[in-house]
Amino acid sequence: MDIINGLAHGFGIALVPQNLLWCFVGCFLGTVVGILPGLGPAATIAILMPLTLNMDPAGGIIMLTGIYYGAKYGGSTTSILLNMPGESSSVVSCIDGYQMARNGRAGAALGIAAIASFIAGTVGIVLLTLVAPAVARFALSFSAPEYFALMAFGLSLVVLLSGASLLKGLLALLVGLWLSTVGIDLFSAQSRFTFGRSELLGGLDFVVIAIGVFAIAEILTTIQHRQEGTLIPVPKGFRNLLPSREELKASRFAFVNGSFTGFIIGVLPGAGSAIASFIAYGIEKAVSKRKELFGKGAPEGLAAPEGANNADTGGALVPLLTLGIPGGGTTAILLSALVLWGIRPGPLMITESPDIFWGLVASMYVGNVVLLLLNLPLVPLFAQLLRVPTWILFPVIFGLSIIGAYSVSERIFDVELLAAFGLLGFLMAKTGFPSAPLILGFVLGDAMERALRQSLMMSQGDLTTFFQRPISLILLIAAFVILLLPLVSWFNRARVRAISEGA
Amino acid sequence: MKLSAWVATAFAVTVTFASASTVQAQFTPKRPLEIAVHAGPGSGNDVFARALISVIEKNKLSPVRIQVANKPGGGSTTAAAYLASKAGNENTLGVFTNIWITDPLVSAEATNPLTSMTPVALVIREPGLIAVKADSPYKTLQDFIDAAKAAPGKLSQSGGSVLARENVLRQLLMGATGADWQFISFPSGGERLSALLGGHVNMMIVEPGEATAQVRSGAMRVIAAVAEKRLPGFPDVPTLQEAGFNIPNLPQIRGIVAPPGMPKEAVAYYSDLIRKATETQEWKDYVVENGFEPAFTTPEETSKFITEYTEQLRGILEKAGIKLVAR
């Protein structure tokens, strides 16, 4: 009953015209930030924070949070159209999103992304509203061994991301893992693989690697094939700009999977939405009856990660609002914004600042509707982008990529890295190495190594710690089962061969 | 803790605005001022820099615009390299903290130690609080130390890098008591806090600002303060010395440095600007709200502090067995 009263009270605050306007401004800015590669929601919120200090706290926090979840909507746009992830959480959306565009379904892909974002984003907030305190306790029960097992499960998904050759997928994964170790090691303060370059002390930046391996490599590959005219066919007629009934039907499970996977991983401090989107994609493919379509433009392969990275927002706000624990970069900034207004998130927030708490939660329901209405009309507009001939489009993508890489730390070194990774991606594409496992290794490697070392420190070197804890054990078994998948299919093929030869 | 710094602080605060006119305003900035910060937006330093800027702008203390330049990467290394590249420049400052001192001691690639920069001012000290989970059996720091002694290596503390103050304090405490417990690194404050509240580690050192809400909601218990005197927000919490631990209260410092070779007049001007800013009511409120201690010092005092603190930290890290760079 409390929840219903609270929500009613919250909608009373969120629907005040002034706050509606702030919600719209936040969502709009978020969409723009999401589309532009290199400019992240965290930096945007930090820049705008001082401007909001003279505002009413409810309006200010509604706007800043709007930027946070709005950016998740925009992130997939460039992934789908240009194979160029705008945020770390939209890398996985490149895999099938860009292939859909190449099949002439760019509009449909953008539509699926917007719908998945809306459904999962809303489910995430519903869960935040209903089960936040209980889920927060679950998040706290997650210790280093569970994180390690979760990352191991994530890594096992390499068998689903490798395409034709598992060996090449594993090699790409190892390169990604290696890249994730570059920089100063937190545990010993020693630098690893920095080759005396101070620029490498901070490690490699995710956006630089992803844009290089995806966008730049794609351009180089296309140039090599000397394709004239436009890059991608754009279907005529408005009907073809929307997802078809079949595409929506195929994505049914993905909407649910993305919603729950994204929310659960979002709750865990330090896991992050990139991991959530990878795991949602892996689960989607593991249970799919048409695995062969993944990586060739399966709508559910776009809907699952896109949903996950939006539901992740609702999850990430659970520990922030109920425990005062920020789980990632953007939530840390939201926390400092709240503190500047004299609001301390935590168990007492609901009773001490009900206006802010419920006003914020209610505004997110409103914001997701706003984002859907904002993004759907943009679909035909963005789809038209692909009509631009390649001789105009490629230089523009190149320019955007360079600006994106440069703006990460405002230094030319990252642009040099971008060129190196572009070349690496190009060579990988030529030799049949899949790029997704490389990114997977890079995203998970850091967290996995950390969790392993933390676990062994806590257990004083006892390896059985991973099998004595139920959640960790279940995740490790799941990882093991997924690793066995290729063996099973290999056995089946071998059996079929043996029977046909015997016949 | 240097008494001279405290005397100077008290002195600086008692001096009225009238003295501002005695400083010959030979230097006036003509271009926007840039303040380099070694971490991303929303990090402690970033928020600190933006708070300082907003106080300066609100009180119209600067004729030019001031902006933050985020230079994250390799702890303080990228930001320090950036300042070094601006040698002699009159329109760039940086916010430094302890890691500007420790990074160059440990990383061969960090070739711009704080002692090579132009010191401007210390601004605040951040006290630390030693905290345990609310339902923990340890009511005092002595309880924790005794338990750690009874089972060496079994208890653990969550923190950041091994170079962070939390680990240096742990080394000092272990050295003074003969107890032994683990230091487990987590990259973000949120994860350190989750590890404590989830019961996966036994102790951590938090900032007063972080602790206030957790203590009020009954999730956390604070058992000792790393400060010269008891903190206003935590009157029942003894300082380390009151609790019977005779180790130095290593301050977590936030201060302002300029690139190497900044002209003297410009340094005097910025020192004065920061002093005026720290004397405003808004700044005093900000300091109290976050549980900081005001620590304003002149450029000369700042220089002396940096030199002495560098040697002190070098000695502690060496003793802790961390591999240092021979310079």
Side-chain angles (χ1 to χ4, degrees), chain A residues 137-313:
Chain A
R137 275 197 296 278
F138 159 78
L140 284 184
S141 72
F142 243 68
S143 180
E146 282 78 21
Y147 276 101
F148 173 78
L150 178 70
M151 301 303 158
F153 172 68
L155 278 195
S156 72
L157 300 173
V158 67
V159 305
L160 298 166
L161 291 166
S162 292
S165 162
L166 181 57
L167 180 66
K168 285 178 175 173
L170 286 171
L171 282 170
L173 180 80
L174 285 174
V175 172
L177 287 174
W178 172 62
L179 291 173
S180 78
T181 62
V182 171
I184 290 184
D185 165 39
L186 197 66
F187 289 78
S188 64
Q190 303 301 321
S191 43
R192 302 188 290 187
F193 303 115
T194 49
F195 308 107
R197 295 293 301 254
S198 66
E199 294 97 333
L200 286 171
L201 285 175
L204 296 165
D205 189 84
F206 181 85
V207 174
V208 175
I209 294 185
I211 294 180
V213 169
F214 281 91
I216 303 286
E218 176 67 20
I219 292 179
L220 293 175
T221 309
T222 316
I223 290 174
Q224 202 207 2
H225 295 169
R226 294 188 170 223
Q227 285 182 354
E228 291 298 326
T230 56
L231 180 63
I232 291 170
V234 180
K236 298 224 173 352
F238 190 74
R239 281 296 312 274
N240 291 324
L241 285 175
L242 296 172
S244 68
R245 189 166 308 184
E246 292 75 45
E247 283 167 331
L248 284 172
K249 221 174 124 178
S251 309
R252 266 183 326 194
F253 173 75
F255 294 142
V256 179
N257 158 22
S259 299
F260 286 90
T261 307
F263 180 79
I264 291 168
I265 305 237
V267 167
L268 304 172
S273 54
I275 294 173
S277 57
F278 262 113
I279 290 185
Y281 184 87
I283 291 176
E284 192 64 33
K285 191 170 173 182
V287 301
S288 171
K289 292 201 173 44
R290 37 182 230 177
K291 290 189 181 49
E292 65 286 353
L293 283 182
F294 280 73
K296 298 190 177 66
E300 63 268 41
L302 168 66
E306 207 37 46
N309 92 49
N310 282 273
D312 177 271
T313 319

Side-chain angles (χ1 to χ4, degrees), chain B residues 78-192:
Chain B
T78 307
Y82 178 75
L83 277 192
S85 74
K86 294 263 181 183
N89 183 299
E90 298 178 340
N91 306 297
T92 308
L93 298 173
V95 175
F96 74 90
T97 62
N98 290 21
I99 63 165
W100 286 59
I101 297 176
T102 47
D103 281 342
L105 294 176
V106 183
S107 299
E109 293 89 346
T111 49
N112 301 296
L114 195 51
T115 42
S116 70
M117 311 270 170
T118 309
V120 179
L122 300 184
V123 184
I124 51 168
R125 292 166 185 274
E126 288 187 28
L129 288 166
I130 298 183
V132 295
K133 205 176 161 203
D135 60 10
S136 144
Y138 316 123
K139 299 272 188 291
T140 64
L141 183 54
Q142 193 58 53
D143 292 348
F144 175 84
I145 298 283
D146 292 344
K149 257 191 180 149
K154 192 120 186 69
L155 300 189
S156 58
Q157 168 188 353
S158 63
S161 153
V162 290
L163 301 181
R165 172 176 66 161
E166 329 154 83
N167 186 39
V168 179
L169 282 166
R170 161 179 163 261
Q171 296 287 357
L172 289 170
L173 273 173
M174 294 200 311
T177 60
D180 174 30
W181 67 90
Q182 306 246 28
F183 183 81
I184 301 181
S185 299
F186 292 84
S188 76
E191 289 162 80
R192 284 162 225 164

Side-chain angles (χ1 to χ4, degrees), chain A residues 18 22 48-61 63-64 337 340-341, chain B residues 54-55 57-58 60 282:
Chain A
Q18 193 187 353
W22 289 125
L48 291 175
M49 213 159 75
L51 301 180
T52 58
L53 283 183
N54 303 329
M55 287 167 57
D56 158 60
I61 203 72
M63 183 187 95
L64 294 180
L340 278 177
W341 274 298
Chain B
S54 63
V55 166
E57 294 195 336
K58 239 185 184 150
K60 303 200 170 39
E282 285 100 346

Side-chain angles (χ1 to χ4, degrees), chain A residues 140 194 323 352 454 457, chain B residues 109 182 185 200 209 214 216:
Chain A
L140 284 184
T194 49
L323 303 170
E352 287 178 352
Q454 288 164 349
M457 284 170 103
Chain B
E109 293 89 346
Q182 306 246 28
S185 299
H200 312 301
Q214 298 298 346
R216 276 190 34 234

